[in-house]
Amino acid sequence: MSDTTTHAASGGGSADADLTRLTAVEMTDRLAAGTITSVELTQAHLDRIMRLDPTLHAFLLVDAEGALATAAEVDAARAAGEELPRLAGVPVAVKDIACTQGLATTAGSRMLEGFVPPYDATIVTRLREARMPILGKTNMDEFAMGSSTEHSAFGPTRNPWDLSRIPGGSGGGSSAAVAAYLAPLAIGSDTGGSIRQPAAVTGTVGTKPTYGAVSRYGVIALASSLDQIGPCARTVADAALLHEVIAGHDPMDSTSVDAPVPDVVGASATGDLTGLRVGVVREISGEGFQAGVQARFDEALEQLRALGAEITEVSCPHFGYAMAAYYLILPSEASSNLARYDAMRYGLREVPEGSPSAEQVMGASRDAGFGDEVKRRIILGTYALSSGYYDAYYGQAQKVRTLIARDFAAAFEQVDVLVSPTAPTTAFPIGDKTQDPMAMYLNDIATIPANLAGVPGMSIPSGTADEDGLPAGLQILAPAMQDQRLYAVGAALEARLREVHGGYVIEQAPEIEVEA
């Protein structure tokens, strides 16, 4: 973790506890009532980051000076009677894949180490317009390629529930920051599950909005037809507030959907699921899923029934081909997108001895700047796009993608939402799968279909697995531009599960205590 300024370390764990454990909704209420200030709230989170992040490594950069300056401006505006956005003064963390003017943006890669963008991504602009103090940039797998945050060039992030385990990926920094109360809200990106899978293994809430519903302008591209920005939070209502801030049409993004933002905040307050048709996807549950994960999912289905929902099993037969299609489409698009890092315009430059050619400088720079996983996917993608293989691999994968979209369309003719476990297992130990790429890739087996079809998805905590006491997640999927359904179902089920399990969710995560 690096800092843009120096701030005092907290002397203990109790000073910040009351403020950092508030939900974002509670923070907005107290800020509006004047019982707390944004400076107090922001400083409490910065103190906790200083005390715990050397152990967790959720942040790559902390902007204490900038965050406190924004907080002070909000407090002054509120004292002057200015009308403010609802989340004004509530701190937020941003995955280091989004450009931030004046703050280093690395995408977790040595290739961009030290790069300071001259502009903000649209989502960052919208956070600033909402007057939210930005605490800093969170750790991630390099260029968002990974399922564990172990592929970050700057070292792995640790799961607050068990420091020997991964916090998910590629956005493990954002999920760990939220789970450990270092930030009440965070921004993530989801290309094949990188918001939802980290949420599942850290006991938090993560949403992948409909493709095109949130601008990708200024977000460092991995696979442009799959990437989507979304909110990370500890409750569904909190996620809805952040979703509302960042969503909406952006003329700077050619894939941005020009349509009204669904009323996700209103949906999260309904709580009535009477008559809702819920489909259980046969192909992404049952065999191959950890027993404790499946048990919590089955219990959640019973609670959906108790809330008045109608549960039916649906088949999406082509989901079985989603993994293969995804790992042809994503590397192909990544190979194209990452070609821009050529050591000529920006980024790392390694110059071999002697009088190297431009090609030799480019080769040396890419060799030094990219990690093993990025190289692996670039090679795979370049091969799939090469002459003689394009139709056999990339073209065929796109046809499978169409079949998966048709599976979703057919399923949503029968039901209102689809549900499944979010990830097949709980968090695995750090180092457990780094030498077995296929085992790592299988962590996204349940989340990938949504990215291929562009439909929205959400993960909420479903409980803790009996085998290890670690969080499991339940995934909710809805038709495109029906994101509000995720929030209606998620909020109702979240409240029910909290009631039934006595608050098993994140407030019972083990407290991390380290020497100040």
Side-chain angles (χ1 to χ4, degrees), residues 485-510:
R485 295 186 192 179
L486 305 177
Y487 289 92
V489 177
L493 184 56
E494 173 188 68
R496 181 76 176 189
L497 290 174
R498 285 177 184 269
E499 178 183 331
V500 169
H501 290 278
Y504 69 83
V505 286
I506 195 64
E507 49 267 44
Q508 288 193 2

mmCIF file of all heavy atoms in Angstrom, residues 485-510:
data_model
loop_
_atom_site.group_PDB
_atom_site.id
_atom_site.type_symbol
_atom_site.label_atom_id
_atom_site.label_comp_id
_atom_site.label_asym_id
_atom_site.label_seq_id
_atom_site.Cartn_x
_atom_site.Cartn_y
_atom_site.Cartn_z
ATOM 1 N N ARG A 485 -34.991 -6.110 -10.346
ATOM 2 C CA ARG A 485 -35.426 -7.412 -9.831
ATOM 3 C C ARG A 485 -34.371 -8.018 -8.903
ATOM 4 O O ARG A 485 -34.710 -8.686 -7.921
ATOM 5 C CB ARG A 485 -35.717 -8.378 -10.988
ATOM 6 C CG ARG A 485 -36.878 -7.978 -11.873
ATOM 7 C CD ARG A 485 -37.175 -9.073 -12.890
ATOM 8 N NE ARG A 485 -38.098 -8.612 -13.922
ATOM 9 C CZ ARG A 485 -38.513 -9.352 -14.933
ATOM 10 N NH1 ARG A 485 -38.074 -10.611 -15.054
ATOM 11 N NH2 ARG A 485 -39.350 -8.865 -15.836
ATOM 12 N N LEU A 486 -33.104 -7.806 -9.242
ATOM 13 C CA LEU A 486 -32.034 -8.298 -8.376
ATOM 14 C C LEU A 486 -32.164 -7.719 -6.976
ATOM 15 O O LEU A 486 -32.015 -8.426 -5.966
ATOM 16 C CB LEU A 486 -30.666 -7.915 -8.943
ATOM 17 C CG LEU A 486 -30.310 -8.302 -10.372
ATOM 18 C CD1 LEU A 486 -28.923 -7.755 -10.721
ATOM 19 C CD2 LEU A 486 -30.356 -9.807 -10.543
ATOM 20 N N TYR A 487 -32.440 -6.417 -6.923
ATOM 21 C CA TYR A 487 -32.485 -5.727 -5.635
ATOM 22 C C TYR A 487 -33.741 -6.087 -4.840
ATOM 23 O O TYR A 487 -33.691 -6.194 -3.615
ATOM 24 C CB TYR A 487 -32.366 -4.220 -5.863
ATOM 25 C CG TYR A 487 -30.974 -3.836 -6.296
ATOM 26 C CD1 TYR A 487 -30.637 -3.765 -7.645
ATOM 27 C CD2 TYR A 487 -29.971 -3.594 -5.356
ATOM 28 C CE1 TYR A 487 -29.347 -3.446 -8.047
ATOM 29 C CE2 TYR A 487 -28.688 -3.273 -5.750
ATOM 30 C CZ TYR A 487 -28.377 -3.204 -7.087
ATOM 31 O OH TYR A 487 -27.089 -2.898 -7.478
ATOM 32 N N ALA A 488 -34.849 -6.295 -5.523
ATOM 33 C CA ALA A 488 -36.075 -6.697 -4.824
ATOM 34 C C ALA A 488 -35.904 -8.069 -4.193
ATOM 35 O O ALA A 488 -36.211 -8.281 -3.012
ATOM 36 C CB ALA A 488 -37.256 -6.692 -5.790
ATOM 37 N N VAL A 489 -35.397 -9.024 -4.973
ATOM 38 C CA VAL A 489 -35.196 -10.382 -4.457
ATOM 39 C C VAL A 489 -34.073 -10.400 -3.432
ATOM 40 O O VAL A 489 -34.194 -11.007 -2.358
ATOM 41 C CB VAL A 489 -34.895 -11.355 -5.612
ATOM 42 C CG1 VAL A 489 -34.599 -12.756 -5.075
ATOM 43 C CG2 VAL A 489 -36.065 -11.401 -6.587
ATOM 44 N N GLY A 490 -32.966 -9.738 -3.748
ATOM 45 C CA GLY A 490 -31.816 -9.747 -2.845
ATOM 46 C C GLY A 490 -32.122 -9.160 -1.492
ATOM 47 O O GLY A 490 -31.738 -9.714 -0.455
ATOM 48 N N ALA A 491 -32.816 -8.023 -1.459
ATOM 49 C CA ALA A 491 -33.121 -7.368 -0.186
ATOM 50 C C ALA A 491 -34.083 -8.203 0.656
ATOM 51 O O ALA A 491 -33.903 -8.343 1.875
ATOM 52 C CB ALA A 491 -33.703 -5.983 -0.437
ATOM 53 N N ALA A 492 -35.110 -8.771 0.016
ATOM 54 C CA ALA A 492 -36.080 -9.574 0.759
ATOM 55 C C ALA A 492 -35.420 -10.825 1.334
ATOM 56 O O ALA A 492 -35.631 -11.186 2.496
ATOM 57 C CB ALA A 492 -37.244 -9.952 -0.146
ATOM 58 N N LEU A 493 -34.611 -11.500 0.526
ATOM 59 C CA LEU A 493 -33.944 -12.715 0.996
ATOM 60 C C LEU A 493 -32.873 -12.395 2.034
ATOM 61 O O LEU A 493 -32.720 -13.124 3.023
ATOM 62 C CB LEU A 493 -33.329 -13.457 -0.189
ATOM 63 C CG LEU A 493 -32.669 -14.798 0.131
ATOM 64 C CD1 LEU A 493 -33.640 -15.747 0.833
ATOM 65 C CD2 LEU A 493 -32.118 -15.439 -1.136
ATOM 66 N N GLU A 494 -32.163 -11.303 1.835
ATOM 67 C CA GLU A 494 -31.158 -10.871 2.814
ATOM 68 C C GLU A 494 -31.789 -10.667 4.184
ATOM 69 O O GLU A 494 -31.281 -11.166 5.206
ATOM 70 C CB GLU A 494 -30.519 -9.571 2.333
ATOM 71 C CG GLU A 494 -29.568 -8.901 3.302
ATOM 72 C CD GLU A 494 -29.148 -7.534 2.796
ATOM 73 O OE1 GLU A 494 -30.006 -6.617 2.736
ATOM 74 O OE2 GLU A 494 -27.968 -7.375 2.451
ATOM 75 N N ALA A 495 -32.904 -9.962 4.229
ATOM 76 C CA ALA A 495 -33.578 -9.706 5.510
ATOM 77 C C ALA A 495 -34.040 -11.011 6.140
ATOM 78 O O ALA A 495 -33.920 -11.212 7.358
ATOM 79 C CB ALA A 495 -34.760 -8.769 5.295
ATOM 80 N N ARG A 496 -34.579 -11.905 5.316
ATOM 81 C CA ARG A 496 -35.061 -13.189 5.834
ATOM 82 C C ARG A 496 -33.918 -14.032 6.385
ATOM 83 O O ARG A 496 -34.030 -14.631 7.459
ATOM 84 C CB ARG A 496 -35.768 -13.937 4.698
ATOM 85 C CG ARG A 496 -36.338 -15.281 5.093
ATOM 86 C CD ARG A 496 -37.611 -15.110 5.890
ATOM 87 N NE ARG A 496 -38.206 -16.413 6.179
ATOM 88 C CZ ARG A 496 -39.409 -16.571 6.706
ATOM 89 N NH1 ARG A 496 -40.144 -15.493 6.986
ATOM 90 N NH2 ARG A 496 -39.884 -17.770 6.939
ATOM 91 N N LEU A 497 -32.809 -14.087 5.677
ATOM 92 C CA LEU A 497 -31.679 -14.896 6.123
ATOM 93 C C LEU A 497 -31.043 -14.316 7.386
ATOM 94 O O LEU A 497 -30.603 -15.053 8.273
ATOM 95 C CB LEU A 497 -30.641 -15.018 5.014
ATOM 96 C CG LEU A 497 -31.058 -15.879 3.812
ATOM 97 C CD1 LEU A 497 -30.010 -15.811 2.713
ATOM 98 C CD2 LEU A 497 -31.282 -17.326 4.233
ATOM 99 N N ARG A 498 -31.000 -13.010 7.484
ATOM 100 C CA ARG A 498 -30.489 -12.406 8.717
ATOM 101 C C ARG A 498 -31.364 -12.800 9.914
ATOM 102 O O ARG A 498 -30.869 -13.096 10.991
ATOM 103 C CB ARG A 498 -30.453 -10.877 8.583
ATOM 104 C CG ARG A 498 -29.337 -10.331 7.711
ATOM 105 C CD ARG A 498 -29.458 -8.815 7.593
ATOM 106 N NE ARG A 498 -28.468 -8.274 6.694
ATOM 107 C CZ ARG A 498 -27.263 -7.846 7.072
ATOM 108 N NH1 ARG A 498 -26.908 -7.933 8.336
ATOM 109 N NH2 ARG A 498 -26.427 -7.348 6.185
ATOM 110 N N GLU A 499 -32.654 -12.788 9.686
ATOM 111 C CA GLU A 499 -33.598 -13.148 10.748
ATOM 112 C C GLU A 499 -33.454 -14.614 11.136
ATOM 113 O O GLU A 499 -33.362 -14.955 12.317
ATOM 114 C CB GLU A 499 -35.013 -12.873 10.255
ATOM 115 C CG GLU A 499 -36.116 -13.249 11.232
ATOM 116 C CD GLU A 499 -37.494 -13.015 10.635
ATOM 117 O OE1 GLU A 499 -37.637 -12.114 9.791
ATOM 118 O OE2 GLU A 499 -38.412 -13.749 11.012
ATOM 119 N N VAL A 500 -33.377 -15.479 10.139
ATOM 120 C CA VAL A 500 -33.320 -16.925 10.400
ATOM 121 C C VAL A 500 -31.992 -17.333 11.028
ATOM 122 O O VAL A 500 -31.943 -18.141 11.952
ATOM 123 C CB VAL A 500 -33.559 -17.703 9.086
ATOM 124 C CG1 VAL A 500 -33.251 -19.185 9.265
ATOM 125 C CG2 VAL A 500 -34.998 -17.515 8.625
ATOM 126 N N HIS A 501 -30.896 -16.753 10.512
ATOM 127 C CA HIS A 501 -29.566 -17.162 10.976
ATOM 128 C C HIS A 501 -29.038 -16.282 12.107
ATOM 129 O O HIS A 501 -27.905 -16.467 12.548
ATOM 130 C CB HIS A 501 -28.581 -17.142 9.806
ATOM 131 C CG HIS A 501 -28.823 -18.219 8.806
ATOM 132 N ND1 HIS A 501 -28.379 -19.505 8.965
ATOM 133 C CD2 HIS A 501 -29.483 -18.203 7.619
ATOM 134 C CE1 HIS A 501 -28.745 -20.247 7.929
ATOM 135 N NE2 HIS A 501 -29.419 -19.472 7.093
ATOM 136 N N GLY A 502 -29.825 -15.347 12.563
ATOM 137 C CA GLY A 502 -29.384 -14.525 13.678
ATOM 138 C C GLY A 502 -28.235 -13.608 13.348
ATOM 139 O O GLY A 502 -27.400 -13.308 14.200
ATOM 140 N N GLY A 503 -28.193 -13.135 12.112
ATOM 141 C CA GLY A 503 -27.131 -12.188 11.740
ATOM 142 C C GLY A 503 -25.813 -12.863 11.461
ATOM 143 O O GLY A 503 -24.775 -12.405 11.896
ATOM 144 N N TYR A 504 -25.868 -13.987 10.719
ATOM 145 C CA TYR A 504 -24.648 -14.718 10.416
ATOM 146 C C TYR A 504 -23.716 -13.927 9.513
ATOM 147 O O TYR A 504 -22.529 -14.231 9.430
ATOM 148 C CB TYR A 504 -24.987 -16.037 9.705
ATOM 149 C CG TYR A 504 -25.513 -15.821 8.313
ATOM 150 C CD1 TYR A 504 -24.654 -15.618 7.238
ATOM 151 C CD2 TYR A 504 -26.870 -15.726 8.093
ATOM 152 C CE1 TYR A 504 -25.148 -15.346 5.984
ATOM 153 C CE2 TYR A 504 -27.361 -15.460 6.839
ATOM 154 C CZ TYR A 504 -26.507 -15.274 5.787
ATOM 155 O OH TYR A 504 -27.003 -14.999 4.554
ATOM 156 N N VAL A 505 -24.248 -12.955 8.815
ATOM 157 C CA VAL A 505 -23.474 -12.330 7.742
ATOM 158 C C VAL A 505 -22.315 -11.515 8.286
ATOM 159 O O VAL A 505 -21.858 -11.738 9.385
ATOM 160 C CB VAL A 505 -24.380 -11.499 6.808
ATOM 161 C CG1 VAL A 505 -25.206 -12.412 5.929
ATOM 162 C CG2 VAL A 505 -25.268 -10.592 7.600
ATOM 163 N N ILE A 506 -21.854 -10.547 7.566
ATOM 164 C CA ILE A 506 -20.516 -10.018 7.759
ATOM 165 C C ILE A 506 -20.245 -9.476 9.156
ATOM 166 O O ILE A 506 -19.114 -9.440 9.599
ATOM 167 C CB ILE A 506 -20.212 -8.942 6.688
ATOM 168 C CG1 ILE A 506 -18.717 -8.641 6.631
ATOM 169 C CG2 ILE A 506 -21.019 -7.691 6.932
ATOM 170 C CD1 ILE A 506 -17.900 -9.823 6.193
ATOM 171 N N GLU A 507 -21.295 -9.089 9.900
ATOM 172 C CA GLU A 507 -20.987 -8.534 11.218
ATOM 173 C C GLU A 507 -20.365 -9.566 12.154
ATOM 174 O O GLU A 507 -19.829 -9.228 13.191
ATOM 175 C CB GLU A 507 -22.218 -7.887 11.873
ATOM 176 C CG GLU A 507 -23.490 -8.692 11.900
ATOM 177 C CD GLU A 507 -24.383 -8.405 10.717
ATOM 178 O OE1 GLU A 507 -23.862 -8.324 9.592
ATOM 179 O OE2 GLU A 507 -25.592 -8.279 10.902
ATOM 180 N N GLN A 508 -20.415 -10.867 11.776
ATOM 181 C CA GLN A 508 -19.761 -11.874 12.593
ATOM 182 C C GLN A 508 -18.447 -12.359 11.990
ATOM 183 O O GLN A 508 -17.893 -13.364 12.428
ATOM 184 C CB GLN A 508 -20.709 -13.060 12.831
ATOM 185 C CG GLN A 508 -21.839 -12.718 13.789
ATOM 186 C CD GLN A 508 -22.598 -13.937 14.277
ATOM 187 O OE1 GLN A 508 -22.283 -15.062 13.947
ATOM 188 N NE2 GLN A 508 -23.609 -13.699 15.092
ATOM 189 N N ALA A 509 -17.958 -11.671 11.000
ATOM 190 C CA ALA A 509 -16.639 -12.019 10.476
ATOM 191 C C ALA A 509 -15.607 -11.800 11.575
ATOM 192 O O ALA A 509 -15.708 -10.851 12.357
ATOM 193 C CB ALA A 509 -16.297 -11.144 9.277
ATOM 194 N N PRO A 510 -14.606 -12.667 11.682
ATOM 195 C CA PRO A 510 -13.596 -12.511 12.734
ATOM 196 C C PRO A 510 -12.935 -11.141 12.676
ATOM 197 O O PRO A 510 -12.592 -10.656 11.603
ATOM 198 C CB PRO A 510 -12.594 -13.625 12.423
ATOM 199 C CG PRO A 510 -13.368 -14.629 11.649
ATOM 200 C CD PRO A 510 -14.367 -13.846 10.856
#
